[in-house]
């Protein structure tokens, strides 16, 4: 493993592999060939894991769909800030509790994570894409479903509106 790979693998969600050659050394040519790279030849961790693990299971897709439908309170097929406010209690965000963020800033960060085209509306495709990226980090379907149930109160355990993010 190269020094680049060692740095990359230590914090995969924040770092990019520095080159396709690095990925080839780490995973073998057949995987690296199918991994998309940016203009500088860097590969995102999520893209590499998607190639290694394959696409998301149907169980995960159904869970993501259930969360989206629950959050889409007005049933217009898109999520906006008001929809998120109903299910995300920013007061329980760790950085809000530590005084590092305001509740409004925490909600804005959540919206920004999902809203790829920055139109302040989260489409089903954006929501699914976000969780497709999260899915590659969680190897077990049951663990993924549990995370989704707690995050979006799909299991109705979070009756006080406390966010588990």
């Amino acid at each position: 493993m190269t020094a680049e790979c060692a740095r990359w693998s230590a914090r995969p969600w924040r770092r990019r592999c520095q080159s396709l050659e690095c990925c080839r050394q780490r995973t073998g040519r057949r995987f690296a060939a199918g991994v998309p790279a940016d203009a500088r030849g860097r590969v995102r961790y999520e893209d590499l894991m998607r190639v290694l693990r394959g696409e998301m299971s149907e169980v995960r897709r159904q869970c993501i769909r259930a969360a989206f439908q629950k959050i889409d309170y007005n049933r217009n097929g898109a999520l906006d800030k008001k929809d998120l406010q109903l299910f995300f209690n920013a007061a329980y965000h760790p950085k809000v509790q530590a005084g590092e963020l305001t509740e409004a800033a925490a909600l804005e960060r959540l919206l920004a994570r999902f809203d790829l085209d920055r139109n302040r509306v989260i489409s089903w495709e954006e929501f699914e894409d976000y969780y497709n990226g999260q899915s590659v980090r969680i190897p077990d379907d049951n663990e993924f479903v549990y995370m989704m149930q707690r995050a979006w109160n799909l299991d109705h355990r979070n009756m006080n509106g406390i966010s588990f993010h």
Side-chain angles (χ1 to χ4, degrees):
M1 181 187 308
T2 67
E4 289 175 336
C5 282
R7 282 194 314 273
W8 172 72
S9 62
R11 299 188 110 178
W13 59 92
R14 294 182 189 217
R15 305 254 184 199
R16 292 176 182 245
C17 187
Q18 296 301 312
S19 68
L20 284 176
E21 185 57 36
C22 177
C23 286
R24 286 186 186 105
Q25 290 171 5
R26 191 168 162 77
T27 64
R29 285 190 178 276
R30 73 184 184 117
F31 294 119
V35 180
D38 66 13
R40 295 189 299 191
R42 295 184 306 177
V43 175
R44 290 181 341 135
Y45 173 77
E46 292 83 1
D47 294 335
L48 175 62
M49 293 310 295
R50 195 168 292 123
V51 169
L52 293 172
R53 289 192 182 147
E55 288 300 315
M56 193 171 21
S57 72
E58 189 56 34
V59 169
R60 293 178 188 217
R61 269 200 175 75
Q62 289 174 0
C63 188
I64 293 167
R65 175 61 77 178
F68 186 86
Q69 289 173 343
K70 181 173 186 166
I71 301 164
D72 185 15
Y73 187 75
N74 59 10
R75 303 287 184 244
N76 66 354
L79 307 178
D80 58 22
K81 191 173 178 178
K82 287 181 183 179
D83 292 327
L84 292 178
Q85 283 175 319
L86 292 173
F87 292 92
F88 179 71
N89 188 340
Y92 292 95
H93 189 287
K95 290 191 176 189
V96 171
Q97 290 185 336
E100 298 172 26
L101 278 179
T102 65
E103 289 184 33
L107 183 62
E108 287 297 324
R109 278 188 172 189
L110 179 67
L111 181 60
R113 281 187 181 156
F114 289 99
D115 187 18
L116 299 176
D117 60 8
R118 305 290 183 241
N119 66 352
R120 315 248 339 128
V121 175
I122 302 165
S123 67
W124 159 246
E125 291 79 15
E126 289 171 318
F127 194 79
E128 183 183 38
D129 185 61
Y130 174 81
Y131 279 111
N132 198 21
Q134 297 302 309
S135 178
V136 300
R137 295 183 176 130
I138 303 172
D140 182 66
D141 279 351
N142 291 331
E143 187 179 339
F144 182 84
V145 169
Y146 178 77
M147 179 271 303
M148 290 294 294
Q149 288 174 337
R150 297 306 304 266
W152 297 109
N153 194 25
L154 299 176
D155 59 359
H156 304 290
R157 290 185 187 175
N158 184 6
M159 300 310 284
N160 296 324
I162 299 169
S163 173
F164 290 94
H165 287 316

